[in-house]
Every structure is written in structure tokens, then in C-alpha cells.
Amino acid sequence: MKAIKKPIPVDVWQAVAEKQFNGKTFIVIDGADPDEVKQLVAEGYKSIGNQKDLHFEVETLEGTMRGEINDYLVRGVKGELYVIKKDIFEQTYDVIG
């Protein structure tokens, strides 16, 4: 049996860079305005930054998912957040806007 994923639009942001703010390092989420970032944080997004390890995390039904710079943060059809690695995202998604 073979199947094709249904074309359902989802919200997506890419972790693109790091930024220093008040002596701390954060990941910049491309295309997310400050209100969206606040909402993502309320939904469980966390930017974890230090000199040796910079990443972001989201809590999912399966546990904590970790993302790195260039990975994608996705809000699914039921409002859940999850991480998709850049290469997998580019193989399975087309950006529509």
C-alpha cells in the first residue's frame, strides 16, 4: 500500500540564527512577530542558550522535542507544536506563503 500526505496547511517557522539579549543567547524564529513568539512560549516553546549548547525545545504528546538552528517549528492541525529537521521539511513540504 502507498499513501500521500493530505495537503493541509500548517503554521511553520524556521530557527535561523542566534541573538544576544541582556547577556543571554536566544534562537531567532524567522517570520514570528513578538506576539507570535509570546504565544509560542505560552504553548511550550523554549529557547535554550549557552556557549556550548544552543537549541530550542517544545513539549509534545510524545515528550520533549529538540530543534537546532535551521530546523523548523510547526504548529499542527490540532494546535500541537513539533520540530522537523531542515532536510526532512524540504523533502516533504512546499511553502505556500
Side-chain angles (χ1 to χ4, degrees):
M1 179 184 327
K2 291 186 179 190
I4 295 175
K5 206 180 242 189
K6 293 179 181 178
I8 301 169
V10 293
D11 292 326
V12 60
W13 302 269
Q14 187 176 22
V16 292
E18 60 184 75
K19 182 177 184 177
Q20 298 287 327
F21 182 73
N22 287 342
K24 294 185 179 181
T25 303
F26 296 91
I27 288 181
V28 176
I29 301 297
D30 187 39
D33 64 38
D35 289 336
E36 284 179 310
V37 172
K38 287 179 188 175
Q39 181 63 37
L40 291 170
V41 169
E43 294 172 11
Y45 168 84
K46 293 181 251 177
S47 177
I48 313 295
N50 61 51
Q51 294 295 343
K52 295 181 181 178
D53 184 22
L54 179 64
H55 66 278
F56 65 94
E57 296 177 349
V58 291
E59 295 300 323
T60 71
L61 294 175
E62 291 81 27
T64 303
M65 289 189 80
R66 176 187 171 118
E68 312 287 337
I69 290 178
N70 293 321
D71 291 346
Y72 287 82
L73 176 63
V74 179
R75 182 182 292 124
V77 296
K78 294 185 178 181
E80 72 281 13
L81 293 176
Y82 56 95
V83 178
I84 299 179
K85 295 292 182 190
K86 181 180 188 288
D87 59 332
I88 300 298
F89 180 87
E90 291 173 349
Q91 291 173 20
T92 57
Y93 286 82
D94 287 320
V95 176
I96 58 173

